[in-house]
Amino acid sequence: MRDVAAASGVSQATVSFVLNDAPGQTIPAATRDRVRRAAAELGYRPHSIARALREGASRIVVLEAGGLPRGHNLSSFIAGLDEELGAAGFGLLVAYGEGVSAQAAITAIEPRAVIDLPAVYAGPDRDVADGGWIDGMVAHRLVQLRHLMERGHRAIAVAVPADDDPFLALMAGQVRDAAGELGLPSPLPLVVDGDPEKPAGLLKAGVTAVAALTDDLALSVLAALADTGLSAPGDLAVIGFDDTPHGALWRPALTTVRLDARAYGRRTARTLLGLPIGDARPAPARVISRASA
Amino acid sequence: MRDVAAASGVSQATVSFVLNDAPGQTIPAATRDRVRRAAAELGYRPHSIARALREGASRIVVLEAGGLPRGHNLSSFIAGLDEELGAAGFGLLVAYGEGVSAQAAITAIEPRAVIDLPAVYAGPDRDVADGGWIDGMVAHRLVQLRHLMERGHRAIAVAVPADDDPFLALMAGQVRDAAGELGLPSPLPLVVDGDPEKPAGLLKAGVTAVAALTDDLALSVLAALADTGLSAPGDLAVIGFDDTPHGALWRPALTTVRLDARAYGRRTARTLLGLPIGDARPAPARVISRASA
DNA sequence: TTGTAAGCGTTATCAG
DNA sequence: CTGATAACGCTTACAA
């Protein structure tokens, strides 16, 4: 920066003003040009550590994605964040809960903000941080259930995990709400705990289809079905939610729903940066119709 | 830090010396104690940004895991890195190639080192950076092939991807080497490109088993088998490599091999930190014997 | 054995 | 409109 200042015959302060488009400064176009040109020629790159020291926080935001299902929906949310944050000159770091040293790294970074999606889901002030993702969730579950209804199913169970993850519990509630909105009877829970007899038991109760909270849960159900000589969708239709890459590899290939979480990611980023939401309008959820339902 | 200095009646420099066990400084135990106690009482936490500015690099190392298969082996490698780096006060960041803003974040961090595993595999000076992981690879492939041999297979194909990832190409070479060491004929390549007829064609060529470069490739083979009315291991035995969580969900459940990559992670970290390798001795690879082979 | 002071590269305040 | 200058929190010669 000192070199740029020298090369363009101004002070470091002026360089800073120009390069950051500092508001409330009135610098002649000629000077600005000279500074910018010099910066470009010298290959000036702001030193982010120094900037972070000065600003009290780095221009990095962290997304804690610890317990989240890792499918297309998350990737897509991340892509959205990436886009907007990148455009604003911010960096994005995704933490998948790798371990202590990862936590150490994150605190060392002094991020500008951290988006803790799992925590957000638990708390009440959600829409602030997730760009409305959650609030749209019931609508997305509608898409999932509707696909089943269109195929003649009304007795639908919902596959939930054995452990009680708060995030997944919230999802379960959304499925119930969606079922209510569609005038469906409240869905029976199918607790996925490795017992291959569970789905067969459901059949006896008259259930004809299962909507899973996540693709992985759906896959577990398919596995249990296969283990007991049953098959999807003949004996039981199964639909997932997340579009993980390995859902497509299964046989029968998993039917699932894919969200346009990218728009939510963009909205999250924009609110985080204090920008207007803009045009990031999420497309409706889409059923990826494969073989299992 | 100023407060700690004041509280213990010494200068900031002394505080720094004590807290970092600066070599070549001879500070009486009494003083050291006072300083440490004060630091603890005041809850002093070194400011990593300031430190990074001063040192020219943060105490963070980045692992670029972009194109790598994401199964147990990678997680285990990461766990090993995590352990050693954490113990040395370093942070670890894993970059899964999320996008531009992630790259921006990484450069903004000025990491002490970056371990670019994919690049390492391509380059010649590998054992420097991966703790000998690669060099042990042939031995691990031996385990994979031996499992097949023990079940009477000698005509073995290797499932490789359609695109030519340099990392996977390297793996393919290791399988060939392992086959040679076992006195097996050079394995035919099974190019996994979504064509479900490929495995059936292999059968005609007399092949009875497939060793896949990764679990995902193995799963694709299983899917192709299912699509053509064949099954594993009856028609074709299939063994994966990586122990991904969804391999266990498939039916037939995928037999695969799991590495003790944790030890390699630890070794990588230690060489990176300039420490002696120590006791991190990798256990031999283990076959996770499920249904597919 | 301890303290002083320079400096890491920015940004922001305040005079000119 | 522009330029000194003072922080930000830490490390490390060098002095005492």
Side-chain angles (χ1 to χ4, degrees):
Chain A
M1 197 168 172
R2 187 170 39 223
D3 294 351
V4 175
S8 44
V10 299
S11 76
Q12 279 195 43
T14 306
V15 173
S16 177
F17 291 148
V18 170
L19 264 24
N20 298 314
D21 306 298
Q25 296 289 342
T26 154
I27 297 174
T31 311
R32 307 170 78 99
D33 269 16
R34 237 177 330 124
V35 170
R36 277 196 238 274
R37 211 180 314 276
E41 265 167 34
L42 296 178
Y44 168 79
R45 317 262 317 132
H47 190 293
S48 15
I49 299 286
R51 178 180 274 173
L53 178 62
R54 181 60 235 228
E55 293 186 342
S58 63
R59 294 196 184 178
I60 290 179
V61 351
V62 168
L63 173 68
E64 293 269 12
L68 299 184
R70 269 151 93 158
H72 173 271
N73 294 348
L74 180 57
S75 312
S76 159
F77 184 80
I78 291 174
L81 278 178
D82 186 69
E83 238 169 279
E84 292 289 338
L85 291 177
F90 275 72
L92 171 67
L93 247 26
V94 187
Y96 292 102
E98 258 108 9
V100 284
S101 70
Q103 275 310 320
I106 287 174
T107 59
I109 282 165
E110 306 273 349
R112 188 68 52 115
V114 10
I115 310 172
D116 187 344
L117 235 23
V120 161
Y121 290 128
D125 55 337
R126 320 193 231 98
D127 61 350
V128 185
D130 73 349
W133 184 356
I134 296 272
D135 290 340
M137 262 334 201
V138 173
H140 300 142
R141 290 298 176 174
L142 246 32
V143 170
Q144 188 187 30
L145 294 179
R146 211 139 33 198
H147 180 83
L148 261 18
M149 287 183 75
E150 282 164 6
R151 273 146 193 79
H153 303 283
R154 284 195 56 87
I156 296 173
V158 45
V160 301
D163 56 83
D164 43 73
D165 182 309
F167 173 56
L168 292 177
L170 189 90
M171 282 184 149
Q174 292 158 347
V175 175
R176 272 193 304 275
D177 292 353
E181 239 173 87
L182 289 170
L184 251 24
S186 181
L188 284 176
L190 164 54
V191 180
V192 174
D193 56 3
D195 174 5
E197 301 298 337
K198 283 268 173 72
L202 231 42
L203 251 46
K204 295 210 190 76
V207 168
T208 63
V210 171
L213 255 27
T214 69
D215 269 18
D216 283 341
L217 256 8
L219 259 18
S220 289
V221 174
L222 289 179
L225 245 27
D227 288 345
T228 52
L230 300 171
S231 71
D235 298 302
L236 193 65
V238 177
I239 185 170
F241 192 89
D242 209 7
D243 196 20
T244 56
H246 42 283
L249 285 183
W250 237 92
R251 289 300 179 274
L254 185 67
T255 291
T256 187
V257 4
R258 167 192 283 228
L259 304 192
D260 179 26
R262 190 164 142 279
Y264 296 114
R266 295 186 53 193
R267 290 160 77 122
T268 304
R270 298 188 68 90
T271 60
L272 208 66
L273 297 171
L275 301 173
I277 294 282
D279 64 332
R281 190 164 301 288
R286 227 158 44 90
V287 172
I288 307 294
S289 188
R290 291 195 277 245
S292 71
Chain B
M1 195 167 173
R2 188 170 39 224
D3 294 350
V4 174
S8 43
V10 299
S11 76
Q12 278 195 44
T14 306
V15 173
S16 177
F17 291 148
V18 170
L19 264 24
N20 298 315
D21 305 299
Q25 296 289 341
T26 154
I27 297 173
T31 312
R32 307 171 79 99
D33 270 17
R34 240 179 326 125
V35 171
R36 278 197 239 274
R37 211 181 315 274
E41 266 167 33
L42 296 178
Y44 167 79
R45 317 261 319 132
H47 190 293
S48 13
I49 298 287
R51 180 180 272 172
L53 180 62
R54 182 59 237 228
E55 293 186 340
S58 63
R59 294 196 183 179
I60 290 179
V61 351
V62 168
L63 173 68
E64 293 269 12
L68 300 184
R70 270 152 94 157
H72 173 273
N73 295 347
L74 179 58
S75 313
S76 160
F77 184 80
I78 292 175
L81 279 178
D82 185 70
E83 239 170 276
E84 292 288 338
L85 291 177
F90 276 72
L92 171 68
L93 246 27
V94 186
Y96 292 102
E98 259 107 7
V100 283
S101 70
Q103 275 310 320
I106 287 173
T107 59
I109 282 165
E110 305 274 345
R112 186 69 52 119
V114 11
I115 310 172
D116 187 343
L117 236 21
V120 161
Y121 289 127
D125 54 338
R126 320 191 230 99
D127 61 349
V128 185
D130 73 348
W133 184 356
I134 297 271
D135 290 341
M137 262 333 199
V138 173
H140 299 141
R141 290 298 176 173
L142 246 33
V143 170
Q144 187 186 30
L145 294 179
R146 211 139 36 198
H147 179 83
L148 259 19
M149 286 183 76
E150 283 163 5
R151 273 146 193 80
H153 302 283
R154 283 194 55 86
I156 298 173
V158 46
V160 302
D163 57 83
D164 44 73
D165 182 311
F167 174 56
L168 292 177
L170 191 89
M171 283 184 149
Q174 291 158 349
V175 175
R176 272 193 304 275
D177 292 353
E181 239 173 87
L182 290 170
L184 251 23
S186 182
L188 285 177
L190 163 54
V191 180
V192 174
D193 56 2
D195 174 5
E197 301 299 335
K198 284 270 173 72
L202 231 42
L203 251 46
K204 295 208 191 80
V207 168
T208 63
V210 170
L213 256 27
T214 68
D215 269 19
D216 283 341
L217 254 8
L219 259 19
S220 289
V221 174
L222 289 178
L225 246 27
D227 288 346
T228 52
L230 300 172
S231 72
D235 298 301
L236 193 66
V238 177
I239 185 170
F241 192 89
D242 209 9
D243 195 19
T244 56
H246 43 283
L249 285 182
W250 235 90
R251 289 300 178 271
L254 184 68
T255 292
T256 188
V257 4
R258 167 191 282 228
L259 303 192
D260 179 26
R262 189 164 142 279
Y264 296 114
R266 295 185 52 192
R267 291 159 77 124
T268 303
R270 296 188 69 90
T271 61
L272 208 66
L273 297 171
L275 301 173
I277 294 283
D279 65 331
R281 189 165 302 286
R286 228 157 44 92
V287 172
I288 308 295
S289 188
R290 293 195 278 245
S292 71

